[in-house]
Amino acid sequence: KQEVTQIPAALSVPEGENLVLNCSFTDSAIYNLQWFRQDPGKGLTSLLLIQSSQREQTSGRLNASLDKSSGRSTLYIAASQPGDSATYLCAVRIPGAGGTSYGKLTFGQGTILTVHP
Amino acid sequence: EAGVAQSPRYKIIEKRQSVAFWCNPISGHATLYWYQQILGQGPKLLIQFQNNGVVDDSQLPKDRFSAERLKGVDSTLKIQPAKLEDSAVYLCASSLSYRGSNSPLHFGNGTRLTVT
């Protein structure tokens, strides 16, 4: 059974600092890994998706890496801003029956990030 | 493009009552998901549809929860009867999915259910 763990559970940093959020998963047989952002009272917004064959993906100040063999992913946020305050979740998709993309997406519990001015 | 639409945004019911949630995915998205998110936890998949067929409902409490996607577009999730532990946010998501796809999920804003 795939289990996803995120460390730390909460993080508070001053504006401008670079930071790293960690995600680990128990089964390396994943189809892809996705990072999401969730603002209070809202749904999830997809930030980055890394396919199992990729090592990293970048979007603006965000960089996500994937080390499938060790079961780890990191989300790096450069020059953090108060607007980055939110809960960040990672999720892994396992292959579905017959190796299809229909496998279950399993989420971690999230890291609550607070960036203070 | 219009996002995933969900209604209602909030619902308060007493235990043993029934409740239904509605979801309209992004146009053209074949895969639709219902997730349950309990406060402080990550979302947990309840059911996944591919068009109007069920792909995964292994974590759906079938004695009280049901879901349908009759025409392969919008979907409803029903709880009958509700229990206190069903208090959570129910999230609907959709993705443009076909065999071999790596398309990301797009989420609605969710329905916050409180069972008293």
Side-chain angles (χ1 to χ4, degrees), chain B:
Chain B
E1 68 182 358
V4 176
Q6 288 189 249
S7 66
R9 284 286 281 129
Y10 305 93
K11 191 73 177 179
I12 301 174
I13 61 172
E14 296 182 351
K15 60 183 178 183
R16 291 187 290 274
Q17 286 187 325
S18 62
V19 64
F21 313 126
W22 175 82
C23 172
N24 193 353
I26 293 173
S27 177
H29 280 197
T31 309
L32 185 147
Y33 313 77
W34 282 103
Y35 282 87
Q36 179 193 59
Q37 186 175 26
I38 294 172
L39 186 64
Q41 299 182 16
K44 182 184 84 172
L45 179 69
L46 293 175
I47 190 167
Q48 178 178 339
F49 291 95
Q50 179 68 16
N51 296 309
N52 60 349
V54 175
V55 174
D56 188 335
D57 63 356
S58 57
Q59 297 187 108
L60 185 75
K62 298 180 184 64
D63 58 335
R64 299 184 300 107
F65 286 64
S66 65
E68 59 182 13
R69 193 185 184 198
L70 291 176
K71 296 182 180 180
V73 181
D74 56 353
S75 175
T76 55
L77 176 69
K78 297 179 182 177
I79 307 175
Q80 182 180 8
K83 293 185 176 181
L84 295 176
E85 58 260 37
D86 297 332
S87 294
V89 175
Y90 291 84
L91 295 163
C92 179
S94 69
S95 66
L96 180 64
S97 177
Y98 51 91
R99 194 174 292 272
S101 166
N102 271 290
S103 55
L105 269 66
H106 299 266
F107 281 82
N109 285 332
T111 296
R112 182 176 297 277
L113 173 67
T114 302
V115 182
T116 63

Side-chain angles (χ1 to χ4, degrees), chain A residues 2 6-9 20 25 30 32 37 39-41 43 47 49-50 57 68 74 76 82 88-89 91 93 96-97 101:
Chain A
Q2 179 72 268
Q6 292 188 244
I7 295 174
V20 174
F25 46 95
I30 65 170
N32 59 42
R37 167 186 174 138
D39 293 286
L47 298 174
L49 184 148
I50 311 176
Q57 282 285 338
K68 205 172 69 162
T74 61
Y76 175 83
Y88 290 82
L89 297 112
R93 183 186 292 278
S101 64

Side-chain angles (χ1 to χ4, degrees), chain A residues 17-36:
Chain A
E17 195 163 295
N18 302 325
L19 58 98
V20 174
L21 307 180
N22 297 291
C23 172
S24 62
F25 46 95
T26 54
D27 188 343
S28 62
I30 65 170
Y31 200 84
N32 59 42
L33 182 144
Q34 198 165 354
W35 282 93
F36 294 87

